[in-house]
Amino acid sequence: MSSNKVRVAVRVRPFSKRGKAEMDLDTQNVVEMADNQTILHSPASTVDKPQQSSRRSQKTFAFDHCFDSSEPGSARFASQETVFSSLGKDILDNAFEGYNACIFAYGQTGSGKSYTMMGGHDSRGLIPRLCDTLFDRVADRSDPGLTHKVEVSYMEIYNEKVHDLLDPRGGKQSLKVREHNLLGPYVDGLSVLAVSSGQDIERLIVEGNKSRTVAATNMNSESSRSHAVFTVIVTQVSWPSTAGSRRTGDAELSLSAVTLN
Ligand code: ADP
Ligand code: MG
């Protein structure tokens, strides 16, 4: 496991074509990224003319990863694949070692959380890529003594109420959050569905998204009150190599992805 338990990454998305202010021809990008540093220039200076920005007018911040996705096609452009290979692969490595992992996406409405976590058809985000790779790795583990069970749950927190997005009965009743004395907080009655492929998971995500209070692209005040938590639970069971049927040990780990809105 990497020595850092918490890693922080920032991502800059391209200017939005919808945002009127962002389309303005005078709009300048004031964020510059170099390796793991993010440099904010004061709007008076520009990234194009960094020599004009004095030390006083710029601020530098360091993160574990800085993803510059502001200009598609530029040499430093960070694609969905870049984000996945920098963050997703390590998370899976740790998960198979038995560690729980959580990816938490935070940012203003319209800043690109859903795009980064879920993405679109041609630009799949972290969650679908994680799920595919998870099943690839399960398939690669040819050890006959190991079996894997993969289950998912998907919930929405809206106005402080928890809704099950995968409830087979549909409905919108809210669920209670309870505290287990060993396992900590959990959502009582949340559906946990078994899946056997990345496509299974994507199908459930699509179904679950239909139940969300506000569709992901609908940028309005409602959407900022809606948060989604998608959890993948992988249970790894090892059997004795002699033909016994007793379970010798198992490890359960969960991979959650939280996206605010
Ligand atoms: P949020 O979930 O944070 O409210 P979205 O993910 O819906 O924001 O992003 C807002 C808009 O910006 C969407 O149209 C999305 O497709 C676009 N977008 C966000 N990030 C990127 C990116 N890295 N590259 C291209 N388009 C992006
Ligand atoms: Mg969103």
Side-chain angles (χ1 to χ4, degrees):
M1 188 172 183
S2 104
S3 55
N4 283 344
K5 289 184 182 138
V6 177
R7 284 205 273 160
V8 182
V10 285
R11 187 178 198 186
V12 178
R13 67 151 168 74
F15 282 126
S16 149
K17 290 184 185 66
R18 285 186 303 166
K20 209 167 167 237
E22 292 182 21
M23 270 189 15
D24 189 324
L25 287 177
D26 284 341
T27 307
Q28 293 166 348
N29 182 359
V30 296
V31 186
E32 185 192 344
M33 288 180 157
D35 300 322
N36 64 347
Q37 296 208 316
T38 295
I39 303 142
L40 299 185
H41 297 270
S42 82
S45 65
T46 70
V47 176
D48 295 335
K49 301 175 202 151
Q51 66 279 14
Q52 289 182 3
S53 90
S54 72
R55 271 174 182 275
R56 262 150 55 100
S57 66
Q58 69 180 49
K59 290 199 163 33
T60 304
F61 301 89
F63 298 93
D64 296 300
H65 301 276
C66 294
F67 299 118
D68 186 348
S69 306
S70 58
E71 264 175 71
S74 79
R76 57 178 192 281
F77 178 73
S79 64
Q80 298 281 65
E81 174 58 33
T82 314
V83 174
F84 174 71
S85 55
S86 308
L87 296 177
K89 291 202 169 124
D90 281 355
I91 286 173
L92 279 179
D93 288 343
N94 294 338
F96 277 102
E97 284 184 31
Y99 293 99
N100 289 337
C102 178
I103 310 171
F104 188 84
Y106 178 83
Q108 191 191 327
T109 299
S111 56
K113 301 179 295 298
S114 300
Y115 183 91
T116 297
M117 301 298 267
M118 291 294 185
H121 254 309
D122 308 322
S123 54
R124 298 162 82 242
L126 264 175
I127 292 176
R129 284 169 197 264
L130 273 170
C131 294
D132 276 358
T133 314
L134 170 82
F135 282 102
D136 289 349
R137 292 209 188 177
V138 167
D140 283 349
R141 300 186 139 203
S142 48
D143 184 343
L146 275 183
T147 57
H148 294 84
K149 183 172 76 176
V150 184
E151 299 166 304
V152 297
S153 68
Y154 193 18
M155 66 173 133
E156 176 187 59
I157 306 167
Y158 179 72
N159 269 351
E160 307 194 2
K161 291 209 165 62
V162 179
H163 302 292
D164 187 351
L165 294 175
L166 300 180
D167 183 354
R169 293 157 302 170
K172 268 265 163 178
Q173 62 272 46
S174 61
L175 300 178
K176 292 240 156 32
V177 179
R178 299 190 195 278
E179 180 97 23
H180 186 282
N181 55 6
L182 288 179
L183 303 171
Y186 69 100
V187 177
D188 197 7
L190 183 68
S191 308
V192 178
L193 306 185
V195 285
S196 54
S197 67
Q199 290 95 304
D200 273 2
I201 297 186
E202 270 177 67
R203 228 173 291 128
L204 289 176
I205 290 174
V206 170
E207 280 308 304
N209 285 344
K210 288 184 193 156
S211 308
R212 285 197 66 180
T213 304
V214 175
T217 50
N218 194 357
M219 180 173 159
N220 60 23
S221 61
E222 295 268 288
S223 67
S224 58
R225 273 183 259 140
S226 158
H227 313 301
V229 182
F230 183 77
T231 304
V232 182
I233 303 145
V234 185
T235 310
Q236 190 167 275
V237 182
S238 52
W239 302 83
S241 44
T242 50
S245 62
R246 245 193 43 220
R247 201 164 73 169
T248 55
D250 58 12
E252 186 173 284
L253 52 105
S254 80
L255 245 178
S256 3
V258 183
T259 160
L260 298 182
N261 159 26

